[in-house]
mmCIF file of all heavy atoms in Angstrom:
data_model
loop_
_atom_site.group_PDB
_atom_site.id
_atom_site.type_symbol
_atom_site.label_atom_id
_atom_site.label_comp_id
_atom_site.label_asym_id
_atom_site.label_seq_id
_atom_site.Cartn_x
_atom_site.Cartn_y
_atom_site.Cartn_z
ATOM 1 N N LYS Y 1557 -61.203 -10.962 -14.723
ATOM 2 C CA LYS Y 1557 -62.259 -10.782 -13.721
ATOM 3 C C LYS Y 1557 -61.786 -9.765 -12.687
ATOM 4 O O LYS Y 1557 -60.617 -9.770 -12.288
ATOM 5 C CB LYS Y 1557 -62.607 -12.112 -13.047
ATOM 6 C CG LYS Y 1557 -63.128 -13.170 -14.036
ATOM 7 C CD LYS Y 1557 -64.454 -12.738 -14.649
ATOM 8 C CE LYS Y 1557 -64.953 -13.725 -15.695
ATOM 9 N NZ LYS Y 1557 -64.410 -13.457 -17.036
ATOM 10 N N ALA Y 1558 -62.718 -8.913 -12.233
ATOM 11 C CA ALA Y 1558 -62.364 -7.846 -11.304
ATOM 12 C C ALA Y 1558 -62.845 -8.191 -9.889
ATOM 13 O O ALA Y 1558 -63.999 -8.581 -9.699
ATOM 14 C CB ALA Y 1558 -62.977 -6.522 -11.750
ATOM 15 N N TYR Y 1559 -61.954 -8.023 -8.927
ATOM 16 C CA TYR Y 1559 -62.265 -8.231 -7.513
ATOM 17 C C TYR Y 1559 -62.071 -6.918 -6.771
ATOM 18 O O TYR Y 1559 -61.128 -6.167 -7.041
ATOM 19 C CB TYR Y 1559 -61.329 -9.289 -6.898
ATOM 20 C CG TYR Y 1559 -61.582 -10.697 -7.355
ATOM 21 C CD1 TYR Y 1559 -61.106 -11.143 -8.592
ATOM 22 C CD2 TYR Y 1559 -62.291 -11.594 -6.564
ATOM 23 C CE1 TYR Y 1559 -61.330 -12.441 -9.019
ATOM 24 C CE2 TYR Y 1559 -62.528 -12.902 -6.984
ATOM 25 C CZ TYR Y 1559 -62.037 -13.314 -8.212
ATOM 26 O OH TYR Y 1559 -62.275 -14.605 -8.631
ATOM 27 N N GLY Y 1560 -62.961 -6.656 -5.815
ATOM 28 C CA GLY Y 1560 -62.841 -5.470 -4.973
ATOM 29 C C GLY Y 1560 -62.373 -5.845 -3.585
ATOM 30 O O GLY Y 1560 -62.692 -6.920 -3.074
ATOM 31 N N LEU Y 1561 -61.620 -4.937 -2.951
ATOM 32 C CA LEU Y 1561 -61.098 -5.180 -1.607
ATOM 33 C C LEU Y 1561 -61.044 -3.867 -0.858
ATOM 34 O O LEU Y 1561 -60.608 -2.851 -1.405
ATOM 35 C CB LEU Y 1561 -59.691 -5.794 -1.705
ATOM 36 C CG LEU Y 1561 -58.952 -6.033 -0.384
ATOM 37 C CD1 LEU Y 1561 -59.595 -7.189 0.393
ATOM 38 C CD2 LEU Y 1561 -57.467 -6.333 -0.647
ATOM 39 N N GLY Y 1562 -61.486 -3.862 0.409
ATOM 40 C CA GLY Y 1562 -61.284 -2.681 1.241
ATOM 41 C C GLY Y 1562 -62.562 -1.937 1.576
ATOM 42 O O GLY Y 1562 -63.652 -2.499 1.638
ATOM 43 N N ARG Y 1563 -62.404 -0.631 1.808
ATOM 44 C CA ARG Y 1563 -63.505 0.214 2.237
ATOM 45 C C ARG Y 1563 -64.582 0.286 1.152
ATOM 46 O O ARG Y 1563 -64.266 0.342 -0.031
ATOM 47 C CB ARG Y 1563 -62.970 1.617 2.564
ATOM 48 C CG ARG Y 1563 -63.939 2.492 3.332
ATOM 49 C CD ARG Y 1563 -63.325 3.862 3.640
ATOM 50 N NE ARG Y 1563 -62.220 3.768 4.590
ATOM 51 C CZ ARG Y 1563 -61.457 4.820 4.931
ATOM 52 N NH1 ARG Y 1563 -61.687 6.002 4.392
ATOM 53 N NH2 ARG Y 1563 -60.483 4.669 5.797
ATOM 54 N N ASN Y 1564 -65.833 0.331 1.606
ATOM 55 C CA ASN Y 1564 -66.935 0.221 0.641
ATOM 56 C C ASN Y 1564 -68.135 1.063 1.073
ATOM 57 O O ASN Y 1564 -69.267 0.792 0.663
ATOM 58 C CB ASN Y 1564 -67.334 -1.258 0.488
ATOM 59 C CG ASN Y 1564 -68.293 -1.503 -0.654
ATOM 60 O OD1 ASN Y 1564 -68.236 -0.829 -1.679
ATOM 61 N ND2 ASN Y 1564 -69.193 -2.450 -0.473
ATOM 62 N N GLU Y 1565 -67.909 2.093 1.892
ATOM 63 C CA GLU Y 1565 -69.040 2.797 2.505
ATOM 64 C C GLU Y 1565 -69.876 3.588 1.509
ATOM 65 O O GLU Y 1565 -71.005 3.980 1.825
ATOM 66 C CB GLU Y 1565 -68.532 3.717 3.624
ATOM 67 C CG GLU Y 1565 -67.561 4.792 3.156
ATOM 68 C CD GLU Y 1565 -66.875 5.475 4.325
ATOM 69 O OE1 GLU Y 1565 -67.029 5.003 5.463
ATOM 70 O OE2 GLU Y 1565 -66.184 6.468 4.100
ATOM 71 N N LYS Y 1566 -69.370 3.839 0.317
ATOM 72 C CA LYS Y 1566 -70.165 4.522 -0.727
ATOM 73 C C LYS Y 1566 -70.500 3.600 -1.889
ATOM 74 O O LYS Y 1566 -70.899 4.051 -2.952
ATOM 75 C CB LYS Y 1566 -69.394 5.740 -1.249
ATOM 76 C CG LYS Y 1566 -69.016 6.766 -0.197
ATOM 77 C CD LYS Y 1566 -70.226 7.509 0.311
ATOM 78 C CE LYS Y 1566 -69.805 8.634 1.259
ATOM 79 N NZ LYS Y 1566 -70.957 9.365 1.805
ATOM 80 N N GLY Y 1567 -70.286 2.298 -1.695
ATOM 81 C CA GLY Y 1567 -70.572 1.341 -2.776
ATOM 82 C C GLY Y 1567 -69.492 1.271 -3.830
ATOM 83 O O GLY Y 1567 -69.728 0.767 -4.931
ATOM 84 N N GLN Y 1568 -68.269 1.737 -3.497
ATOM 85 C CA GLN Y 1568 -67.208 1.831 -4.521
ATOM 86 C C GLN Y 1568 -66.660 0.482 -4.975
ATOM 87 O O GLN Y 1568 -65.903 0.426 -5.942
ATOM 88 C CB GLN Y 1568 -66.047 2.708 -4.007
ATOM 89 C CG GLN Y 1568 -65.396 2.253 -2.704
ATOM 90 C CD GLN Y 1568 -65.917 3.010 -1.498
ATOM 91 O OE1 GLN Y 1568 -67.108 3.152 -1.310
ATOM 92 N NE2 GLN Y 1568 -65.013 3.498 -0.687
ATOM 93 N N LEU Y 1569 -67.060 -0.603 -4.321
ATOM 94 C CA LEU Y 1569 -66.627 -1.924 -4.768
ATOM 95 C C LEU Y 1569 -67.669 -2.622 -5.636
ATOM 96 O O LEU Y 1569 -67.468 -3.747 -6.068
ATOM 97 C CB LEU Y 1569 -66.269 -2.806 -3.560
ATOM 98 C CG LEU Y 1569 -65.124 -2.292 -2.689
ATOM 99 C CD1 LEU Y 1569 -64.813 -3.280 -1.586
ATOM 100 C CD2 LEU Y 1569 -63.875 -2.001 -3.504
ATOM 101 N N GLY Y 1570 -68.798 -1.945 -5.877
ATOM 102 C CA GLY Y 1570 -69.775 -2.453 -6.829
ATOM 103 C C GLY Y 1570 -70.521 -3.682 -6.372
ATOM 104 O O GLY Y 1570 -71.072 -4.426 -7.194
ATOM 105 N N SER Y 1571 -70.601 -3.885 -5.059
ATOM 106 C CA SER Y 1571 -71.261 -5.092 -4.537
ATOM 107 C C SER Y 1571 -72.746 -4.889 -4.271
ATOM 108 O O SER Y 1571 -73.449 -5.831 -3.902
ATOM 109 C CB SER Y 1571 -70.571 -5.524 -3.233
ATOM 110 O OG SER Y 1571 -70.612 -4.470 -2.270
ATOM 111 N N GLY Y 1572 -73.225 -3.636 -4.420
ATOM 112 C CA GLY Y 1572 -74.625 -3.369 -4.154
ATOM 113 C C GLY Y 1572 -74.926 -3.104 -2.699
ATOM 114 O O GLY Y 1572 -76.077 -2.846 -2.331
ATOM 115 N N ASP Y 1573 -73.886 -3.186 -1.836
ATOM 116 C CA ASP Y 1573 -74.058 -2.869 -0.412
ATOM 117 C C ASP Y 1573 -72.919 -1.951 0.028
ATOM 118 O O ASP Y 1573 -72.115 -1.509 -0.804
ATOM 119 C CB ASP Y 1573 -74.083 -4.157 0.429
ATOM 120 C CG ASP Y 1573 -72.806 -4.992 0.244
ATOM 121 O OD1 ASP Y 1573 -71.707 -4.414 0.219
ATOM 122 O OD2 ASP Y 1573 -72.918 -6.226 0.139
ATOM 123 N N THR Y 1574 -72.851 -1.661 1.317
ATOM 124 C CA THR Y 1574 -71.797 -0.778 1.837
ATOM 125 C C THR Y 1574 -70.939 -1.489 2.882
ATOM 126 O O THR Y 1574 -70.347 -0.858 3.743
ATOM 127 C CB THR Y 1574 -72.406 0.503 2.436
ATOM 128 O OG1 THR Y 1574 -73.358 0.131 3.456
ATOM 129 C CG2 THR Y 1574 -73.106 1.325 1.379
ATOM 130 N N GLU Y 1575 -70.873 -2.802 2.778
ATOM 131 C CA GLU Y 1575 -70.086 -3.587 3.724
ATOM 132 C C GLU Y 1575 -68.618 -3.603 3.288
ATOM 133 O O GLU Y 1575 -68.302 -3.882 2.135
ATOM 134 C CB GLU Y 1575 -70.595 -5.033 3.788
ATOM 135 C CG GLU Y 1575 -72.015 -5.169 4.344
ATOM 136 C CD GLU Y 1575 -72.088 -4.763 5.803
ATOM 137 O OE1 GLU Y 1575 -71.189 -5.137 6.570
ATOM 138 O OE2 GLU Y 1575 -73.059 -4.054 6.162
ATOM 139 N N THR Y 1576 -67.722 -3.317 4.237
ATOM 140 C CA THR Y 1576 -66.289 -3.394 3.960
ATOM 141 C C THR Y 1576 -65.916 -4.819 3.573
ATOM 142 O O THR Y 1576 -66.406 -5.788 4.161
ATOM 143 C CB THR Y 1576 -65.493 -2.974 5.208
ATOM 144 O OG1 THR Y 1576 -65.817 -1.612 5.514
ATOM 145 C CG2 THR Y 1576 -63.989 -3.069 4.961
ATOM 146 N N LYS Y 1577 -65.047 -4.944 2.571
ATOM 147 C CA LYS Y 1577 -64.639 -6.271 2.081
ATOM 148 C C LYS Y 1577 -63.206 -6.582 2.545
ATOM 149 O O LYS Y 1577 -62.241 -6.014 2.042
ATOM 150 C CB LYS Y 1577 -64.699 -6.332 0.551
ATOM 151 C CG LYS Y 1577 -66.046 -5.919 -0.042
ATOM 152 C CD LYS Y 1577 -67.195 -6.771 0.424
ATOM 153 C CE LYS Y 1577 -68.514 -6.318 -0.160
ATOM 154 N NZ LYS Y 1577 -69.682 -6.949 0.456
ATOM 155 N N PHE Y 1578 -63.104 -7.476 3.541
ATOM 156 C CA PHE Y 1578 -61.789 -7.913 4.002
ATOM 157 C C PHE Y 1578 -61.273 -9.071 3.153
ATOM 158 O O PHE Y 1578 -60.077 -9.315 3.084
ATOM 159 C CB PHE Y 1578 -61.848 -8.299 5.481
ATOM 160 C CG PHE Y 1578 -62.124 -7.126 6.392
ATOM 161 C CD1 PHE Y 1578 -63.421 -6.842 6.801
ATOM 162 C CD2 PHE Y 1578 -61.102 -6.287 6.792
ATOM 163 C CE1 PHE Y 1578 -63.687 -5.759 7.616
ATOM 164 C CE2 PHE Y 1578 -61.356 -5.191 7.612
ATOM 165 C CZ PHE Y 1578 -62.643 -4.920 8.023
ATOM 166 N N GLN Y 1579 -62.198 -9.781 2.514
ATOM 167 C CA GLN Y 1579 -61.858 -10.810 1.542
ATOM 168 C C GLN Y 1579 -62.163 -10.246 0.150
ATOM 169 O O GLN Y 1579 -63.135 -9.504 -0.016
ATOM 170 C CB GLN Y 1579 -62.707 -12.066 1.774
ATOM 171 C CG GLN Y 1579 -62.503 -12.724 3.121
ATOM 172 C CD GLN Y 1579 -61.254 -13.583 3.164
ATOM 173 O OE1 GLN Y 1579 -60.688 -13.930 2.117
ATOM 174 N NE2 GLN Y 1579 -60.813 -13.931 4.360
ATOM 175 N N PRO Y 1580 -61.362 -10.568 -0.855
ATOM 176 C CA PRO Y 1580 -61.641 -10.040 -2.195
ATOM 177 C C PRO Y 1580 -63.011 -10.478 -2.694
ATOM 178 O O PRO Y 1580 -63.383 -11.651 -2.553
ATOM 179 C CB PRO Y 1580 -60.515 -10.622 -3.064
ATOM 180 C CG PRO Y 1580 -59.931 -11.737 -2.255
ATOM 181 C CD PRO Y 1580 -60.162 -11.412 -0.822
ATOM 182 N N TYR Y 1581 -63.748 -9.527 -3.249
ATOM 183 C CA TYR Y 1581 -65.121 -9.772 -3.695
ATOM 184 C C TYR Y 1581 -65.167 -9.735 -5.216
ATOM 185 O O TYR Y 1581 -64.763 -8.737 -5.840
ATOM 186 C CB TYR Y 1581 -66.045 -8.695 -3.103
ATOM 187 C CG TYR Y 1581 -67.391 -8.598 -3.788
ATOM 188 C CD1 TYR Y 1581 -68.427 -9.459 -3.434
ATOM 189 C CD2 TYR Y 1581 -67.631 -7.662 -4.801
ATOM 190 C CE1 TYR Y 1581 -69.656 -9.388 -4.067
ATOM 191 C CE2 TYR Y 1581 -68.857 -7.587 -5.437
ATOM 192 C CZ TYR Y 1581 -69.863 -8.448 -5.064
ATOM 193 O OH TYR Y 1581 -71.078 -8.380 -5.704
ATOM 194 N N LEU Y 1582 -65.612 -10.831 -5.840
ATOM 195 C CA LEU Y 1582 -65.782 -10.846 -7.293
ATOM 196 C C LEU Y 1582 -66.956 -9.936 -7.656
ATOM 197 O O LEU Y 1582 -68.071 -10.116 -7.149
ATOM 198 C CB LEU Y 1582 -66.057 -12.256 -7.789
ATOM 199 C CG LEU Y 1582 -66.412 -12.389 -9.284
ATOM 200 C CD1 LEU Y 1582 -65.249 -11.948 -10.154
ATOM 201 C CD2 LEU Y 1582 -66.826 -13.820 -9.606
ATOM 202 N N ILE Y 1583 -66.692 -8.947 -8.509
ATOM 203 C CA ILE Y 1583 -67.746 -8.024 -8.920
ATOM 204 C C ILE Y 1583 -68.658 -8.756 -9.913
ATOM 205 O O ILE Y 1583 -68.365 -8.858 -11.101
ATOM 206 C CB ILE Y 1583 -67.138 -6.725 -9.504
ATOM 207 C CG1 ILE Y 1583 -66.212 -6.082 -8.480
ATOM 208 C CG2 ILE Y 1583 -68.247 -5.754 -9.912
ATOM 209 C CD1 ILE Y 1583 -65.456 -4.867 -8.992
ATOM 210 N N GLU Y 1584 -69.749 -9.267 -9.369
ATOM 211 C CA GLU Y 1584 -70.610 -10.198 -10.102
ATOM 212 C C GLU Y 1584 -71.141 -9.611 -11.408
ATOM 213 O O GLU Y 1584 -71.173 -10.281 -12.436
ATOM 214 C CB GLU Y 1584 -71.795 -10.615 -9.212
ATOM 215 C CG GLU Y 1584 -71.435 -11.522 -8.063
ATOM 216 C CD GLU Y 1584 -71.187 -12.958 -8.519
ATOM 217 O OE1 GLU Y 1584 -71.603 -13.292 -9.648
ATOM 218 O OE2 GLU Y 1584 -70.580 -13.725 -7.758
#
Side-chain angles (χ1 to χ4, degrees):
K1557 299 295 177 273
Y1559 289 79
L1561 176 71
R1563 194 179 292 174
N1564 190 33
E1565 61 192 9
K1566 302 290 186 181
Q1568 57 262 49
L1569 299 183
S1571 58
D1573 58 43
T1574 56
E1575 295 295 317
T1576 298
K1577 307 300 179 191
F1578 293 95
Q1579 298 280 344
Y1581 164 83
L1582 174 63
I1583 303 175
E1584 289 283 344

